[in-house]
Amino acid sequence: MNRRTREYLKGRFGDYYRSATVSPPPAANEREWGQIPFTEGDGTTMVRHQSLLDVAGGAGDLDDFLAREAPRHAYFSAARYDDPGNRSMSGKGWRSADLVFDLDADHLPGVDPETAGYGEMLAACKEELLNLLDLLETDFGFREEDLSVVFSGGRGYHVHVRDPAVGELDSAARREVVDYVRAVDLDYDGLVEKRPNERGTLQKTLRAEGGWGRRVHDRLVAYADDLRGMSEEDALAELEELDGVGEKTARTIYGVLERNPDGVRAGNVELGPGAGTLVRALAREVVERDTAPIDEPVTTDLRRLIRLPGSVHGGSGLVVRPLERDAVEAFDPLTDAVPERFRDRQILVDVTDPGPVAVGDDKTKVAEGVQSVREYVGVFLMARGRAEKATE
Amino acid sequence: MDPLSARYPFLSSARDAVRGADVDLTELVAAGDPAVDRGRERVERALVEGTTEPETPDAWDDREELLSYPIARILVSLLDSPAAVEKYAGAEARTAHARFTADAERERREGRARTAGEASASDAVGSADSANATRASPDLDTFLREFDLAGTTRAEEGYGGPVPRWFRLGVGSYLRYVDADWGDGWRLVNRELFDGEVRVEREELYRLLREAVRERVAEGLPFEGVDDAVAADLEAEISDLRDLLADRTARVDVSVVAPEQFPPCLARLLDRARAGEELDAVGRFALLSFLAELGLTAAETTELTGLPADEVAGRFGFLRDESGAQYPAPSCETLGAYGLCENEGNHRAVAPHPLSYYAKRVAETDTVTDWRDRAERTDDGRADA
C-alpha cells in the first residue's frame, strides 16, 4: 500500500466516521482500547493499553476520536479493568470479561478457503452463527438483550455475551463453554443411562432433560416419526443405512418403534441390540449439524481485544456491523456491510491483482491496470492490497 | 452461641459472631484458652488426616469450636506454606461436606418417616409444593444462601420429598465451582444443560458446595501481619506443626530416577498410566507431583508416563509456578484415603511418604542406572521424538 492509497483510505475512513455514530460498549471507560493506525509498512503496529480517556479525551467522545484519527482498525477489550490504561496487564486489575465467540470463515469444516469464494465462505459462516446462537439461547439460556451479534467486517462473526452470571468465569470455565459448543469430548455412551421406569424396572433412557442428550432425543423422535411414515420396506432399508445395523437388528428396532411410539418420546431407548448403534449414529449427525466451529483462544482469552462494532475494517473497507437478532437470517455482509458513504462515487484505482470482486450488488471482475470502479469496490481492493489509488 | 456457627465457622454469620463475642484473640492466645488447643488440633488433623473434625467432639463446647477457627487461620498463616493452606482449606471443606451431607440425609430419612406416618394422600402433595423448591435441609439452605446460590438453584419439578434428588443450577454458578479434573462426567459437554441451567444430582450439589467452602477458607491465607506477641505465644505450636508439615511434604534430595525403586502405590499408578488407563484427578496429581519432585522435566515425564504432553505440561506449570512454590506429593496416608495406596507389602513401615520411601530404597541400592541414561528408553521410540 503506497502513500497515496494510505492517505486516501484514511481520509475516506475519517469521512465515514464523521457521518456515523458508533455506540460504545457498556462500561466503555473500564475497557482497554487499541487501534492500528494507517502507517507505512504492513500496518500491524497496534497502539494499545489506552483508556477511553486516553483515546477520546475528557468528554469521552468516541465519534470525535474516530473521525480525527481514522484508524485502520479499532479495538476494545472484552475485559473490564480497574485501570484499563495501565501499561502492564497485571497492573490493570481484571474485573470481568464479556464471553466472546468468534466464527472465522477460514476455519469451517468442509469449506476450503482456497477454492470457495468469499461470499460462499461467509454464507457457510452464517449457518454456523445460527447454530451458535441456538446453543447460546436454548441451552445456555442467554437472553437476547445480553447477546450482541456482530459481522466482523472480515471473514466472520462475533458474538458478545454480557450476562453478569458468566462475566467472572476464568479461562478454564470458558473452555468448558467452548467444548460444549463444539461437543469436544462428548461422551456418546453417556448420553444413555439406566433409569427406573414407573414399575421400577431399569431401562436404557436418553438423558433428554438438556444438553446434547436433549438434542439427540429430539432427533430420535423425528427419525422415528419419519420411519413410521414410510412403508416397512423403506423403513428397514433406511435403518440398514446405519453403520453396524443389519437386517435382523433393523427389524428389532423397527418393531419396537412401531409397537411403542410413546416410549421413544419418553426417552426410552430399549430398542434391542441395535439401540446403541442407532443412538450413536443419530448423535454424530446431530453433533455435525448443531455444533459451531468457534475459535477457542478467542473465548478462553480473558484479556483479548475485539474489533469495535461500528468501525470500518481496514482489511476490507466493510463496516463491523452490529446485527439485531431478527436481522441475522437475512443479513448479507457483502452488500449490507458496505458503508453508505462509499456507494455513490466512481473512483480510479490501479489494479495489481485482477479477478472477481466479492463485494456489492454488482458482482464484477476487475481487469489489471487503471480502472474506474464504484468507490466501495475500489476501497475493498485497496484495503486487501489488490490495487493502489490512481490519480483522478 | 449459635451451634451453626460452631459447626461451620467460615460462614459470614460465624465471622459476625466472633466479632460480636467481644473476645480479644491476643488475650485468648496469651491465656492459653482451650480454643487455642482446639485451633492447633484443627490444623494438625488437617495436615495429618485431612479432616478438622475433633478427635473427641464432646471435649469442646460451641464457643471453643467457633473461636478455634480464627486461631487455626493464624496458625496456618504463621506456617506460611502453600501446602499448608491447601491441606487446611481442603480439610475444612471435607469436614463441612461430611457435616451438611449427614444433616441433609438425616432430614431426608426423618422426612420420609414422617410422610410414611401420615395419610398416604400426602404423597401427592410433596411434589406439588415447588415454591420452596430449594429447601433441601436447614444446613444446605444456609450454604446455598451463603454462596449466593439460592437464587440460581432449584429443585427439579416432579421430584418431591423433603430433600429432592435432582436440582437445576445456573450454568454460571456450576462453572464457577466445577473442576474439569473431577472427571468426564463433570464436563459441561456431558451435562444436561437447558435454558441456562445444569441438572445436578443431590450429591453433586454437595460436591460443588464443598468446593465453594474450600475457596472461602483458602481466601486470604496466609495473611500477613500476625501480631508479634501472638506469634511468640504460638511458637511451640508452630514448631510442632512445621515438623508435621515437613513429614507430610517430605523433600528428598534424590536426583536419580529409578522407577523400580518407586513405592508400590506409585509404581502401580505409573503402570496404569503407561497402560493408557485413565487416572482420576488425585491419581494424576500424586504421580505427576512425585515425578516433578524427582526433578523430571515435563518432556521426560510425558515420555515416562505416556500421559498426553499438553496435560503434563499444564500440570507442571501448576506444580512449579512462578513463585517457586511446589505442591508436594501426597503422603501414602492421603493416597490411602483416596484408595490409591493400600500399604502394599507394608511399605509405609519403610517410610510413610512416597518420596522418603524412594530415597531410602535408592540409598540402600548399590548400583542404580538413571532411567534417563538407559538404552531401553528408546525401545518404544518415544525418546527419539
Side-chain angles (χ1 to χ4, degrees), chain A residues 138-139 176 179 185 187 209 211, chain B residues 187-188 190 192-193 195-196:
Chain A
T138 309
D139 295 20
E176 288 297 292
D179 287 350
D185 292 343
D187 176 7
E209 279 85 353
Chain B
R187 303 283 312 278
L188 188 64
N190 292 320
E192 290 164 284
L193 171 65
D195 202 19

Side-chain angles (χ1 to χ4, degrees), chain A residues 138-141 165 176 179-180 184-187 195 207 209 211 214, chain B residues 168 171-172 175-176 180 187-196 199:
Chain A
T138 309
D139 295 20
F140 285 89
E176 288 297 292
D179 287 350
Y180 185 92
V184 171
D185 292 343
L186 175 62
D187 176 7
R195 286 188 192 163
R207 295 165 65 212
E209 279 85 353
R214 183 189 66 83
Chain B
R168 300 276 178 135
V171 63
L175 289 175
R176 162 96 171 70
R187 303 283 312 278
L188 188 64
V189 69
N190 292 320
R191 306 301 306 202
E192 290 164 284
L193 171 65
F194 185 71
D195 202 19
R199 194 162 183 253

Side-chain angles (χ1 to χ4, degrees), chain A residues 207-226:
Chain A
R207 295 165 65 212
E209 279 85 353
W212 286 102
R214 183 189 66 83
R215 288 171 178 271
V216 173
H217 179 244
D218 287 351
R219 179 71 191 100
L220 178 64
V221 170
Y223 184 82
D225 285 347
D226 285 351

